[in-house]
Amino acid sequence: MEWSAALPTFLVTLREGVEAALVVGIVLACLSKAQARDLNPWVYAGVGGGAIASAGIGALFISGLQAVARSRSTYAPVLKPLLEAGFCLVAIAMLSWMLIWMTQQAKSLKGEIETAVKAAVKPEGEDRERPKIWHSAGWGVFTLVFIAVLREGFETVVFITAQFEQGLAPVLGAIFGLLGAVAIGFLLFEWGVKIDLRRFFQIMGILLLAIVSGLVISALKNINAAAVVLSSLDPQYAQICAAGAASCLLGPQVWDTTAFLPDDRFPGVVFKALFGYRSHLYLAQAIAYVLFLATAGTLYFQSLSNKTS
């Protein structure tokens, strides 16, 4: 098993998990302050429900890819890399949005959650003897936590699906990332340990930018693979690729560093996992990588400046 494939999902899940842990911790603190700790089971149910729903979505996505791979359709070999490219593009969009939007919204996150919890608990405040109202408040808390966990989980699931070809390692990385996020949540809210979350999210944000930029290269690679297969399957599309060409849509090769830094052996495999390095890189991939990293990086650092100003 290539353990370097676990690094990106570990980092993504750790960051997403810490965000979810912050939401859960703030909700529990609000319930404690409102003397409504008997609603805590609804919080835990929301965490479990969001995690199960995320896992179910992931299983559905992966089973879909496997079904395509097993299909005897003539164009199944074309559809599989296109689906993988689609998952890459969705993961790029969602993780980029999360990174930039959450950085901008982090300052007001606690206040928004406290307002939502108060709105859910308020109806029972004057009459705690009315179980129907108390039950309604529980569902409000459950929904808040469920959506928060599902949102973070869905982003992670899409990212793992985009790494599906790398086997079990990305899943194990996600599990360890989730355990790390749970540990950080306990350190913060149960044991009162001081952690510089601002610095943590800044560092994780920079690493996430590099990881997502690597997905741009993977998406283009899969699109190109679909074009190669299509040109060999159907004569009417034969003109897409030159006979025996490795690149149909990506342009000329920029470099070939296989001789001294292959991307399937250490340390190249680590650079590939974290920064999108490829020992075979083509012009379209290089341009897309630089453009995406420059654009998303500029937006991210602007959001950091706006948050601290």
Side-chain angles (χ1 to χ4, degrees):
M1 182 183 296
E2 184 52 69
W3 287 103
S4 62
L7 289 174
T9 49
F10 170 78
L11 293 172
V12 169
T13 308
L14 180 64
R15 190 187 193 283
E16 302 281 339
V18 169
E19 287 182 358
L22 289 176
V23 172
V24 172
I26 293 170
V27 170
L28 289 172
C30 290
L31 292 178
S32 177
K33 187 176 180 180
Q35 297 183 344
R37 290 184 178 177
D38 41 349
L39 287 178
N40 284 5
W42 289 90
V43 177
Y44 304 134
V47 173
I52 291 171
S54 298
I57 292 171
L60 185 64
F61 285 168
I62 292 174
S63 64
L65 280 174
Q66 291 174 334
V68 170
R70 292 192 300 266
S71 173
R72 295 184 179 180
S73 169
T74 303
Y75 292 101
V78 179
L79 186 57
K80 184 174 182 291
L82 284 179
L83 282 175
E84 291 171 351
F87 284 124
C88 284
L89 293 173
V90 172
I92 290 166
M94 293 187 65
L95 291 171
S96 300
W97 173 83
M98 176 274 299
L99 179 63
I100 296 167
W101 183 84
M102 280 301 297
T103 301
Q104 293 175 332
Q105 300 298 318
K107 198 171 183 179
S108 59
L109 179 63
K110 183 178 180 181
E112 292 174 358
I113 294 173
E114 289 176 343
T115 300
V117 172
K118 288 178 182 177
V121 176
K122 186 177 179 181
E124 68 80 36
E126 296 178 358
D127 191 356
R128 186 167 291 198
E129 300 300 321
R130 294 167 61 184
K132 288 185 178 181
I133 296 179
W134 192 238
H135 189 261
S136 176
W139 275 112
V141 171
F142 171 87
T143 302
L144 173 64
V145 175
F146 175 84
I147 291 175
V149 174
L150 179 61
R151 182 187 66 204
E152 309 297 346
F154 181 70
E155 291 168 354
T156 304
V157 160
V158 172
F159 181 81
I160 292 174
T161 306
Q163 309 291 319
F164 173 66
E165 283 188 334
Q166 300 184 51
L168 187 61
V171 177
L172 293 177
I175 292 172
F176 284 113
L178 181 61
L179 292 175
V182 171
I184 290 175
F186 273 99
L187 288 174
L188 289 172
F189 295 104
E190 288 293 325
W191 299 316
V193 176
K194 299 293 184 180
I195 297 176
D196 189 345
L197 285 174
R198 177 172 170 271
R199 184 65 61 190
F200 169 83
F201 281 115
Q202 285 179 352
I203 294 172
M204 295 297 290
I206 293 170
L207 289 173
L208 193 59
L209 274 174
I211 291 170
V212 176
S213 298
L215 284 179
V216 174
I217 293 178
S218 296
L220 290 176
K221 178 183 177 182
N222 284 319
I223 293 171
N224 181 73
V228 171
V229 175
L230 182 62
S231 68
S232 65
L233 287 176
D234 195 329
Q236 65 177 320
Y237 298 110
Q239 71 277 9
I240 296 177
C241 295
S247 170
C248 295
L249 308 175
L250 304 179
Q253 186 170 267
V254 175
W255 69 54
D256 180 358
T257 56
T258 308
F260 60 90
L261 190 62
D263 60 20
D264 59 352
R265 291 198 296 271
F266 182 85
V269 69
V270 176
F271 297 151
K272 177 181 177 180
L274 292 179
F275 308 115
Y277 167 76
R278 296 293 189 280
S279 52
H280 290 88
L281 190 72
Y282 295 89
L283 183 61
Q285 291 174 309
I287 292 173
Y289 182 91
V290 172
L291 285 177
F292 177 84
L293 187 60
T295 303
T298 299
L299 293 173
Y300 174 64
F301 285 109
Q302 283 180 347
S303 67
L304 285 178
S305 300
N306 293 337
K307 193 181 84 167
T308 57
S309 60

